[in-house]
Amino acid sequence: MSELIFLMPWYLGCAWVADRFCKKFLRIAPRRKFVFPAGAFIIWMVVDLVRELFSLPYIVAALMIHILLAVLIIESFQEIWEKKVLAAAVLSASVTLMGNFCVSLCSLLTLILLHTVLKIPEPFLGGWQDGLICYISAAAVAALFYFLNGRLTEVFTGGDRKRYIIMAVPLLSVTVMMDLVNWGAAHGILVRSGGNMGIYFDQIFSHGGICIFSALAMSAAGAYLLGMNNSYLEQRKSSWYHSQIEAFKMLEGQYRQSERLRHDMKNHIIALSGLLHSRDWGKMEQYLADMSEAGSLGMGEDTTGNRVVDSVLHQKRAVAEKNHIQWECDVQIPEDCHINEYDLCVLFGNLVDNALAECGRLEDRDHCFIHIRGGKVKQCFLLVVSNCAEIRDSSFAAAERFSFSKKSGPEHHGIGLLNVRDIVRKYNGEWEIETGEDRVTISVLMPFGMPYKT
């Protein structure tokens, strides 16, 4: 019991970092924000207490912790269950693998220090030494979660249920395998020196073996997780780019049609003059309607200086007006801007689509708005898209969650902003996401006086 009390700070620390990790990628209701950390702490404490009182096998206790933590995550957070299973798998794998690696490494180094420096023939670890190693491992686990928080944002996006499960299963398998190794070590199945080198070297070989195994397992799990994610993103981005190309070709066709109408304007004026003199108002009205439909004359409301961007904004404006979203647009693309039309199509299309999707999530449409500003700032092109949004947290973490987690529809969930990021990088630019209580603003700044990246 005293050992359990001694480990309470370790459990509190693990519960805190696990809570920060899960809230980074999963949504939770405000009234339940303390459920998960309290529940995780209780699970670790109670399972260890039961194991100590009833001599529960280590492997059974470890599996109970994994299962109960997964159930707690599924019940506490508001996401699809596959995404919550992936979060539980990453959480269990991180705690188990990093904890074992750090404990084995610290034990190995401590034994070597006691044997070589303090000249203890057959040192054993216990008491304050075990406690110190536990706290060091807790700090290592916290550092690992801090590292993962900045690199797993894209892993938890996409809305692809199958992908989440495919990522989660190998992580859970590696975690259970590590638990089996620990169970074997607890029952005397150790890496031995052959019986001729003493207990000291048996401990060295055992801790060294577990340290190497856990390090390899962590490397394999990380490589698999990030590799699968990169493969998925490349496939989705490729598919999305192809759809953008098709949209671009369609816009080009519309403009060619409009150009033909302008070319024949002289003949149209002659025809309309004839209808005017004959006072044939019905035919004149029909003729004007046909001209407007053929040339998409209504698209001139947002004139940017670039025909592709004009067409994109015309289509997006029609969607906004259909959904009663207030639309304001003031964009002027300078003639010396070297950004090609395809990239402009991707940039404007994805940013405005993201704004439309966020407005579509709101129940109250009375105050929905999309504001678009763009123009030349010194030798750069600055584009700012601002729209209403429901964001409770204005921190940088909230901005990251908005960027990759709130896009509606599993097909293009988060991929649009990844494409925007690629365009910005291509032109050596910068972009920033700012959030407030009722809005989100995405600013893009791209210099057009220097060669862009290929």
Side-chain angles (χ1 to χ4, degrees):
M1 185 67 68
S2 59
E3 180 182 353
L4 194 61
I5 296 175
F6 184 75
L7 290 176
M8 284 183 64
W10 188 87
Y11 292 129
L12 285 172
C14 287
W16 180 74
V17 297
D19 180 61
R20 292 288 298 266
F21 171 79
C22 290
K23 288 178 180 177
K24 168 77 175 182
F25 305 112
L26 304 175
R27 292 180 294 113
I28 188 170
R31 64 180 181 276
R32 306 183 70 181
K33 62 182 180 179
F34 298 112
V35 172
F36 178 74
F41 174 74
I42 292 172
I43 287 172
W44 276 313
M45 287 289 295
V46 170
V47 172
D48 254 13
L49 180 62
V50 171
R51 184 165 67 93
E52 183 176 327
L53 293 177
F54 299 99
S55 301
L56 199 66
Y58 175 84
I59 187 64
V60 175
L63 291 176
M64 285 179 59
I65 290 176
H66 299 325
I67 293 172
L68 291 174
L69 282 177
V71 172
L72 180 62
I73 290 176
I74 291 173
E75 293 298 323
S76 300
F77 294 93
Q78 300 173 324
E79 294 283 357
I80 57 177
W81 69 268
E82 293 89 348
K83 187 174 183 179
K84 292 186 283 190
V85 168
L86 176 59
V90 174
L91 175 63
S92 295
S94 300
V95 172
T96 302
L97 297 178
M98 176 56 80
N100 277 274
F101 172 78
C102 192
V103 168
S104 297
L105 180 61
C106 291
S107 299
L108 180 66
L109 296 176
T110 303
L111 288 170
I112 294 174
L113 178 66
L114 293 175
H115 182 74
T116 58
V117 177
L118 300 182
K119 305 300 181 181
I120 300 177
E122 294 183 350
F124 290 94
L125 301 179
W128 67 270
Q129 295 166 340
D130 283 340
L132 179 60
I133 290 174
C134 285
Y135 290 130
I136 293 175
S137 67
V141 171
L144 176 62
F145 279 116
Y146 179 80
F147 173 82
L148 294 177
N149 282 348
R151 289 162 177 81
L152 292 185
T153 301
E154 296 172 2
V155 171
F156 284 91
T157 62
D160 191 328
R161 296 171 179 263
K162 183 178 179 181
R163 178 175 70 103
Y164 290 145
I165 295 300
I166 290 175
M167 288 182 174
V169 169
L171 294 180
L172 293 173
S173 300
V174 171
T175 303
V176 173
M177 189 181 300
M178 191 73 244
D179 290 332
L180 289 172
V181 171
N182 286 332
W183 174 77
H187 286 74
I189 305 174
L190 307 174
V191 180
R192 296 183 179 274
S193 62
N196 300 319
M197 302 181 67
I199 297 177
Y200 167 70
F201 285 101
D202 285 347
Q203 293 183 85
I204 292 294
F205 291 143
S206 180
H207 286 300
I210 294 177
C211 183
I212 293 173
F213 179 82
S214 56
L216 292 175
M218 278 194 298
S219 300
Y224 176 82
L225 189 66
L226 297 179
M228 286 290 297
N229 181 66
N230 290 337
S231 175
Y232 169 81
L233 290 177
E234 289 301 322
Q235 292 176 1
R236 301 310 303 165
K237 286 164 64 178
S238 176
S239 174
W240 186 239
Y241 270 123
H242 284 303
S243 66
Q244 293 282 355
I245 290 173
E246 292 301 320
F248 181 79
K249 290 179 179 179
M250 180 188 67
L251 297 177
E252 285 289 297
Q254 290 180 351
Y255 263 104
R256 284 194 296 269
Q257 187 177 9
S258 179
E259 288 296 327
R260 287 196 298 268
L261 176 63
R262 292 187 179 95
H263 182 267
D264 294 334
M265 188 59 67
K266 180 179 179 180
N267 295 328
H268 291 312
I269 292 175
I270 294 173
L272 288 170
S273 297
L275 293 172
L276 177 64
H277 288 301
S278 63
R279 298 179 182 274
D280 195 340
W281 310 121
K283 289 185 177 180
M284 187 175 181
E285 182 180 2
Q286 183 61 44
Y287 196 100
L288 289 171
D290 292 340
M291 286 180 60
S292 178
E293 181 179 354
S296 298
L297 296 179
M299 66 194 305
E301 297 176 358
D302 297 316
T303 304
T304 67
N306 183 283
R307 60 181 186 173
V308 172
V309 175
D310 288 347
S311 185
V312 170
L313 293 178
H314 169 68
Q315 291 187 340
K316 305 306 179 186
R317 179 177 187 138
V319 175
E321 291 177 347
K322 181 180 179 181
N323 290 278
H324 307 289
I325 299 172
Q326 179 188 355
W327 177 276
E328 291 185 12
C329 180
D330 182 12
V331 177
Q332 294 298 319
I333 299 177
E335 294 182 358
D336 56 345
C337 179
H338 75 277
I339 305 173
N340 67 53
E341 291 185 333
Y342 170 73
D343 291 335
L344 286 172
C345 176
V346 173
L347 184 66
F348 277 87
N350 283 305
L351 287 178
V352 180
D353 279 344
N354 197 75
L356 288 170
E358 184 64 18
C359 290
R361 295 180 62 255
L362 301 179
E363 296 181 359
D364 183 11
R365 299 291 181 84
D366 294 337
H367 303 289
C368 281
F369 65 87
I370 296 177
H371 297 164
I372 307 171
R373 301 288 183 271
K376 183 176 181 179
V377 178
K378 295 184 179 180
Q379 293 300 312
C380 298
F381 177 65
L382 175 64
L383 175 63
V384 181
V385 178
S386 180
N387 58 272
C388 56
E390 184 181 7
I391 298 179
R392 303 183 185 92
D393 186 2
S394 60
S395 65
F396 178 75
E400 285 191 319
R401 288 197 297 273
F402 171 82
S403 304
F404 298 101
S405 64
K406 289 192 175 183
K407 192 77 172 286
S408 62
E411 287 290 325
H412 308 302
H413 183 97
I415 302 299
L417 286 180
L418 294 178
N419 289 337
V420 171
R421 182 193 65 183
D422 289 345
I423 295 297
V424 173
R425 289 179 177 177
K426 175 179 177 180
Y427 290 89
N428 302 295
E430 298 288 342
W431 72 319
E432 181 182 48
I433 301 174
E434 298 179 1
T435 60
E437 293 183 358
D438 62 346
R439 72 175 58 207
V440 62
T441 301
I442 302 180
S443 303
V444 174
L445 183 67
M446 295 190 296
F448 48 82
M450 63 177 67
Y452 58 84
K453 299 176 182 177
T454 58

